[in-house]
């Protein structure tokens, strides 16, 4: 299903840009212009209809999802995950740790959000990544047994058993190895997606992510899940809800900035629609978080001060500078972030379909919205390149920064019971998600970026 979903999304994006459609992968079949089975339409107007229907029935659908997503999947739940003591939290600013196993003898665990000063000698890793998002830091460790030193066991800095782990593959740098408690560990930096992926378009002001807080309300009945699993899912959906809520402000700002650069009315209309979509996503995610948490939740205020300034510069940008800033931001947040977000939502819907059909339908609807938002970004970048062909090298560099340097590693033959439970509830485990994003970058983002840049070359040559 994953490869077929990538083919469908690629076909949709290229079609929206008026570009030639690539051949489908073997076994996917050609479903024409409407991919109903995936919950994704290749017609932008049809996508809007999907969003309208979801908005009209959001209260009923949200309640149904709450009940079914909690009460189904009981066959896959077990108290083992509760009693094992396994740390299952995800890597975010509110999480303290997470761990996933790499090759034989390798353990990769979340260390910190931000580099602890003085903890890692001669380490030049930065706290911020190339896209202006904070770096997450992981420890990739193997036992020192049978070796005299870590340098002997890990001559390349990262031990051989860990090099194919998706966190290490996606990492933007590493330091080490260091000997820690009888293990050889390398510190690996992985740039956070700034609320991307399944969390919508990030709201960034002066290089910093902004979110509203989530407030706890009255208690409700306890979620009928093991506490470890319920806490993991509650944290996941709270993070999603906060990011989707912030995306409302991000798209409202984007619509105003499109006005400022003289963008076509269709792009401005679609940006305004996207803000409405994100409102719906935030409400649905907050309901799920509240259900798993066992009490009502509500959003606090969101700080929007200085949000119309695209940089921390004291001087406002003129129209030309603003167009450049918006174009490069759209590559990061829309062409890459929201395209991968649509892919992740489709995959999450597929993995939970048997356990919770209602939740799967909700995720498919969100995927349709995210695909429409991604399409808006690709269309805007195409329009910007038409206006300013000299932007082409900068756009090409921006895409190149996002693309993986190595292919995705093989999928694990056996998923842990905890990971199976997460997938049954529409939550992708971190290693699973990292592998999907790497595949999406290589097989979806890269060919679409090449087609977009080739289009810019053709149009630029035609104007000479």
């Amino acid at each position: 299903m994953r490869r077929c979903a990538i083919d469908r999304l690629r076909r949709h994006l290229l079609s929206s840009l008026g570009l030639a459609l690539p051949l489908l992968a073997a076994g996917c079949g050609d479903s024409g212009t409407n991919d109903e089975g995936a919950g994704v339409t290749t017609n932008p107007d049809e996508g809007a209809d999907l969003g309208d229907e979801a908005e009209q029935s959001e209260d009923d659908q949200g309640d149904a999802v709450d009940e079914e997503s909690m009460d189904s999947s009981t066959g896959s739940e077990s108290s083992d995950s509760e009693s094992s003591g396994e740390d299952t939290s995800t890597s975010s600013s509110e999480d303290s740790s997470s761990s996933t196993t790499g090759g034989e003898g390798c353990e990769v665990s979340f260390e910190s959000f931000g580099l602890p000063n003085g903890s890692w000698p001669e380490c030049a890793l930065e706290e911020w990544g190339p896209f202006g998002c904070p770096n997450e830091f992981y420890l990739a460790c193997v036992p020192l047994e049978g070796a005299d030193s870590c340098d002997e066991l890990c001559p390349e800095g990262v031990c051989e058993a860990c090099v194919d782990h998706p966190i290490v593959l996606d990492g933007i740098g590493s330091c080490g190895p260091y000997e820690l408690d009888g293990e050889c560990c390398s510190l690996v930096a992985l740039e956070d997606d700034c609320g991307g992926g399944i969390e919508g378009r990030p709201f960034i002001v002066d290089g910093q992510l902004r979110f509203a807080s989530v407030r706890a309300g009255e208690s409700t009945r306890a979620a009928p899940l093991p506490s470890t699993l319920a806490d993991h899912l509650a944290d996941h959906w709270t993070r999603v809800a906060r990011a989707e809520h912030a995306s409302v402000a991000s798209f409202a700002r984007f619509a105003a900035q499109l006005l400022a650069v003289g963008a076509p009315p269709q792009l401005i209309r679609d940006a305004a629609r996207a803000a409405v979509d994100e409102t719906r996503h935030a409400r649905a995610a907050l309901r799920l978080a509240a259900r798993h948490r066992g009490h009502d939740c509500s959003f606090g205020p969101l700080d929007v001060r200085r949000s119309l300034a695209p940089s921390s510069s004291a001087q406002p940008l003129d129209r030309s500078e603003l167009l450049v800033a918006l174009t490069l931001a759209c590559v990061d947040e829309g062409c890459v972030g929201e395209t991968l977000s649509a892919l992740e939502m489709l995959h999450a819907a597929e993995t939970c379909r048997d356990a919770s059909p209602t939740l799967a339908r909700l995720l498919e609807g969100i995927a349709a919205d995210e695909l429409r938002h991604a399409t808006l970004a690709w269309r805007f970048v195409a329009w910007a390149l038409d206006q300013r062909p000299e932007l082409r090298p900068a756009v090409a560099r921006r895409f190149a920064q996002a693309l993986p340097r190595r292919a995705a590693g093989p999928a694990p033959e056996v998923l842990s019971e905890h990971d199976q439970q997460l997938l049954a509830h529409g939550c992708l485990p971190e290693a699973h998600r990292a592998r999907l994003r790497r595949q999406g970058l290589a097989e979806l983002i890269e060919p679409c970026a090449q087609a977009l840049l080739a289009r810019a070359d053709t149009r630029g040559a035609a104007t000479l």
Side-chain angles (χ1 to χ4, degrees), residues 427-438:
C427 177
L428 302 183
E430 190 60 36
H432 196 98
R433 183 186 182 211
R435 187 176 293 106
L436 179 65
R437 289 177 68 84
R438 176 172 290 276

Side-chain angles (χ1 to χ4, degrees), residues 193-196 199-204 209-210 243 246-247 250 253 333:
D193 58 16
C194 284
E199 294 97 24
R201 179 175 294 217
F203 184 50
I204 304 173
L209 289 167
R210 287 189 183 177
S247 295
S250 183
R253 176 178 62 184
E333 300 166 7

Side-chain angles (χ1 to χ4, degrees), residues 316-385:
L317 301 183
D318 61 24
R319 178 182 179 275
S320 178
E321 293 170 326
L322 179 58
L323 180 60
V324 174
L326 283 181
T327 302
L328 298 181
C330 266
V331 171
D332 298 342
E333 300 166 7
C335 299
V336 175
E338 289 180 296
T339 302
L340 294 178
S341 180
L343 175 62
E344 290 180 30
M345 275 296 182
L346 278 180
H347 190 64
E350 184 65 22
T351 61
C352 73
R353 189 180 309 282
D354 291 340
S356 180
T358 302
L359 178 60
R361 288 194 296 272
L362 174 69
L363 298 183
E364 286 173 348
I366 295 176
D369 292 340
E370 296 295 349
L371 179 57
R372 193 167 60 250
H373 304 169
T375 303
L376 168 63
W378 288 92
R379 288 161 51 212
F380 171 75
V381 173
W383 174 80
L385 289 172

Side-chain angles (χ1 to χ4, degrees), residues 2 86-91 98-103 106-110 136 138 162 164-170 190 232 239 344 347 407-416 418-419 422-423 427-440:
R2 183 186 304 178
E86 177 187 6
D87 190 352
T88 58
S89 55
T90 56
S91 57
S98 67
S99 64
T100 53
T101 302
C106 174
E107 186 76 12
V108 176
S109 59
F110 181 68
E136 303 166 303
Y138 293 80
C162 296
D164 289 329
H165 190 282
I167 295 294
V168 177
L169 283 170
D170 279 341
L190 177 70
H232 192 145
R239 177 172 57 86
E344 290 180 30
H347 190 64
E413 294 182 4
V414 179
L415 289 173
S416 69
H418 182 73
D419 284 354
L422 291 177
L423 290 170
C427 177
L428 302 183
E430 190 60 36
H432 196 98
R433 183 186 182 211
R435 187 176 293 106
L436 179 65
R437 289 177 68 84
R438 176 172 290 276
Q439 186 177 1

Side-chain angles (χ1 to χ4, degrees), residues 56-124:
Q56 291 168 4
S57 61
E58 64 177 334
D59 293 327
D60 294 338
Q61 186 182 46
D63 293 338
V65 167
D66 284 344
E67 295 295 336
E68 186 171 357
S69 64
M70 297 296 96
D71 298 332
S72 61
S73 312
T74 54
S76 65
E77 294 158 12
S78 169
S79 60
D80 292 344
S81 62
E82 184 175 4
S83 60
S84 65
E86 177 187 6
D87 190 352
T88 58
S89 55
T90 56
S91 57
S92 74
S93 58
E94 295 147 321
D95 300 330
S96 59
S97 63
S98 67
S99 64
T100 53
T101 302
E104 184 176 358
C106 174
E107 186 76 12
V108 176
S109 59
F110 181 68
E111 171 65 18
S112 65
F113 221 108
L115 183 63
N117 293 330
S119 300
W120 314 103
E122 300 180 359
C123 185

